[in-house]
């Protein structure tokens, strides 16, 4: 089955009792048993729910995985994966990582004795030098947030495998419509389904996809035991969103490409970070591991200060100032005063995160309207 077909049919069948073509939303906490332990496959809804099972089968299909496990949020999915580790274990993670991942690593897991190194993964030499004898996991984000650096998944997974470490890829930014990390050698893929998979900014959800029996068993043990499971309505919304994933991502990528070109040529902008530009340092790697270059574009302003960036953002009207990404609507955010405000200015700038850096999540609106919105805001500076 090819990708567009998968987004409609993967793991989905008409419901048995009524023939409903859409998965019913099973609002129930428990299931009747004919005799103790004799039942139709479900006992209690923390463990399984048919709407959640339909979503998990879909997600596994999309990521070319044998299994998927759905969680209440992307953070809950990451939390479950990290709980496979034990005190003394070491993790190598991408340095330009989602702020919520950084907080989870540093403030929840480090106090339990798990150690993290944050490495600039743009070269394989850097990754190699990050390994210690205790490294059990390599955590990749690509493209990164908000600088849109690219990490070579296959080469990194190769290095990890040689040292018996597990490779995890946070595939939230690319989505399976553009990038399939398990086929490149990763062991597990983590998602915030809140973003492109859901696609409509109307739910919070997460998932882990894997083809390893041991990882899957660990995850299902955890959902049963710690209970960070999504409700049936959110599972339904995620499934509904996924049906248009390929169309939405294709359109958003087309818009993003044209917007990146427009910004690059504009006299009031500084550098434009977009992996689709041939002078982007990760362009060739992105080309080889992604189907398109994604719909996130970051750029700085020629007048590089926080005040100018804020003035720019207050003058856009279609691009809504908000955190998050991956929905049908275009969003704009300012990392230096929003998601990355807690990082000291020197540290931010060392990583290339300028004061005026602006991040766009490009939606599926008409390109001319989006360009006009940005043009007006740039003229106002
Ligand atoms: C949003 C996000 C998460 C966290 O997901 P939630 O659903 O908000 O918990 C993790 N990784 C990336 C890259 C994200 O963008």
């Amino acid at each position: 089955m090819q990708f567009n077909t998968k987004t409609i049919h993967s793991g989905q069948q008409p419901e048995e009792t009524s023939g409903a073509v859409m998965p019913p939303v099973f609002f129930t906490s428990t299931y009747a048993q004919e005799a103790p332990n004799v039942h139709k496959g479900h006992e209690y809804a923390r463990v399984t729910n048919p709407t959640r099972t339909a979503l998990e089968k879909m997600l596994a299909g999309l990521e070319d995985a044998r299994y998927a496990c759905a969680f209440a949020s992307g953070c809950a999915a990451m939390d479950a994966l990290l709980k496979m580790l034990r005190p003394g274990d070491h993790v190598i993670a991408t340095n330009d990582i989602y702020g919520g991942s950084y907080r989870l690593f540093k403030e929840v897991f480090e106090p339990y004795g798990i150690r993290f190194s944050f490495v600039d993964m743009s070269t394989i030499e850097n990754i190699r030098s990050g390994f210690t004898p205790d490294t059990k996991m390599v955590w990749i984000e690509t493209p990164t947030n908000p600088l849109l650096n690219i990490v070579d998944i296959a080469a990194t997974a190769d290095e990890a495998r040689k040292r018996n470490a597990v490779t995890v890829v946070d595939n939230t930014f690319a989505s399976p419509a553009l990038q399939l990390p398990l086929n490149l050698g990763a062991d597990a893929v983590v998602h915030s389904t809140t973003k492109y998979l859901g696609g409509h900014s109307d739910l919070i959800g997460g998932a882990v996809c894997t083809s390893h029996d041991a990882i899957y068993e660990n995850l299902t043990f955890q959902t049963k035991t710690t209970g960070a499971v999504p409700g049936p309505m959110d599972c339904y919304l995620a499934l509904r969103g996924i049906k248009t994933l390929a169309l939405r991502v294709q359109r958003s990528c087309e818009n993003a490409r044209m917007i990146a070109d427009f910004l690059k040529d504009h006299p009031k902008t500084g550098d434009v970070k977009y992996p689709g530009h041939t002078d982007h340092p990760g362009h060739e790697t992105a080309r080889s591991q992604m189907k398109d270059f994604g719909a996130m574009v970051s750029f700085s302003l020629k007048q590089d200060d926080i005040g100018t960036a804020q003035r720019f953002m207050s003058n856009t009207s279609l691009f809504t100032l908000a955190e998050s990404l991956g929905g049908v609507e275009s969003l704009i955010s300012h990392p230096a005063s929003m998601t990355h405000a807690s990082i000291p200015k020197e540290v931010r700038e060392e990583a290339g995160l300028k004061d005026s850096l602006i991040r766009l999540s490009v939606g599926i609106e008409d390109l001319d309207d989006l360009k006009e919105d940005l043009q007006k805001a740039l003229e106002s500076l």
Side-chain angles (χ1 to χ4, degrees):
M1 233 192 271
Q2 295 184 32
F3 195 76
N4 284 277
T5 312
K6 279 187 183 179
T7 61
I8 315 296
H9 295 290
S10 200
Q12 311 300 303
Q13 285 126 18
E15 197 267 333
E16 273 176 31
T17 57
S18 66
V21 293
M22 289 298 125
V25 187
F26 286 91
F27 284 115
T28 188
S29 60
T30 192
Y31 307 86
Q33 305 194 10
E34 283 153 43
N37 303 317
V38 181
H39 52 71
K40 296 182 171 161
H42 300 279
E43 290 174 338
Y44 186 64
R46 177 168 12 87
V47 185
T48 54
N49 174 293
T51 319
R52 173 150 50 107
T53 306
L55 173 63
E56 289 171 338
K57 287 189 171 158
M58 171 59 80
L59 290 168
L62 296 184
E63 285 287 355
D64 279 353
R66 284 171 64 201
Y67 313 109
C69 206
F71 288 88
S73 68
C75 285
M78 298 193 292
D79 178 75
L81 267 173
L82 290 162
K83 282 180 184 152
M84 299 193 316
L85 300 170
R86 291 293 172 261
D89 288 351
H90 173 250
V91 180
I92 303 175
T94 315
N95 62 343
D96 181 33
I97 200 171
Y98 175 67
S101 311
Y102 184 81
R103 186 175 57 213
L104 180 67
F105 295 177
K106 293 294 284 184
E107 294 183 35
V108 176
F109 284 94
E110 217 166 68
Y112 282 110
I114 294 161
R115 285 167 303 126
F116 296 88
S117 303
F118 297 90
V119 172
D120 168 3
M121 292 192 174
S122 55
T123 70
I124 204 71
E125 291 72 36
N126 284 353
I127 295 165
R128 269 193 208 122
S129 63
F131 282 94
T132 75
D134 296 324
T135 305
K136 295 284 159 55
M137 188 179 274
V138 177
W139 191 285
I140 301 174
E141 216 177 284
T142 182
T144 65
N145 173 36
L147 294 170
L148 304 175
N149 294 320
I150 300 293
V151 180
D152 186 331
I153 296 172
T156 310
D158 237 29
E159 295 295 326
R161 199 173 317 107
K162 280 186 216 153
R163 297 165 176 87
N164 289 319
V166 166
T167 302
V168 173
V169 176
D170 183 335
N171 206 26
T172 301
F173 264 45
S175 93
L178 302 181
Q179 178 169 279
L180 294 171
L182 300 183
N183 293 348
L184 296 165
D187 300 294
V189 163
V190 63
H191 272 291
S192 167
T193 56
T194 313
K195 316 291 170 52
Y196 286 102
L197 286 161
H200 296 74
S201 305
D202 56 3
L203 69 94
I204 294 282
V208 179
C209 305
T210 183
S211 292
H212 290 299
D213 293 334
I215 295 177
Y216 179 63
E217 276 162 28
N218 193 305
L219 293 170
T220 52
F221 173 77
Q222 286 196 55
T223 51
K224 175 168 85 178
T225 308
T226 64
V229 296
M233 191 66 201
D234 283 344
C235 293
Y236 175 80
L237 286 171
L239 265 172
R240 184 180 163 112
I242 285 168
K243 292 192 166 62
T244 55
L245 173 70
L247 291 171
R248 286 185 285 104
V249 168
Q250 186 184 356
R251 170 61 171 256
S252 290
C253 286
E254 283 166 17
N255 279 347
R257 185 185 352 272
M258 302 309 285
I259 283 173
D261 289 348
F262 162 77
L263 291 169
K264 197 173 183 163
D265 291 340
H266 200 284
K268 291 199 174 167
T269 58
D271 19 299
V272 175
K273 315 250 181 216
Y274 171 66
H277 284 155
T278 50
D279 59 356
H280 183 290
H283 178 70
E284 285 308 320
T285 306
R287 210 183 178 73
S288 70
Q289 69 188 19
M290 298 174 77
K291 269 199 238 163
D292 202 335
F293 301 101
M296 302 299 295
V297 181
S298 294
F299 66 102
S300 60
L301 296 169
K302 200 142 268 168
Q303 198 177 329
D304 180 43
D305 57 73
I306 288 184
T308 308
Q310 288 180 340
R311 202 143 39 85
F312 173 81
M313 289 183 299
S314 66
N315 285 325
T316 60
S317 53
L318 287 177
F319 281 88
T320 305
L321 179 65
E323 288 187 12
S324 201
L325 61 123
V328 288
E329 68 290 313
S330 293
L331 299 179
I332 188 167
S333 71
H334 182 228
S337 64
M338 295 165 75
T339 45
H340 293 64
S342 58
I343 303 172
K345 184 176 155 88
E346 312 81 65
V347 181
R348 273 203 319 261
E349 301 223 316
E350 206 179 282
L353 204 161
K354 292 186 170 177
D355 274 354
S356 69
L357 190 84
I358 287 164
R359 188 192 82 174
L360 304 178
S361 169
V362 180
I364 65 169
E365 299 94 331
D366 281 305
L367 175 64
D368 289 345
D369 292 327
L370 294 179
K371 271 194 347 203
E372 192 183 305
D373 199 37
L374 296 172
Q375 171 69 27
K376 271 192 194 148
L378 283 167
E379 269 168 19
S380 74
L381 296 182

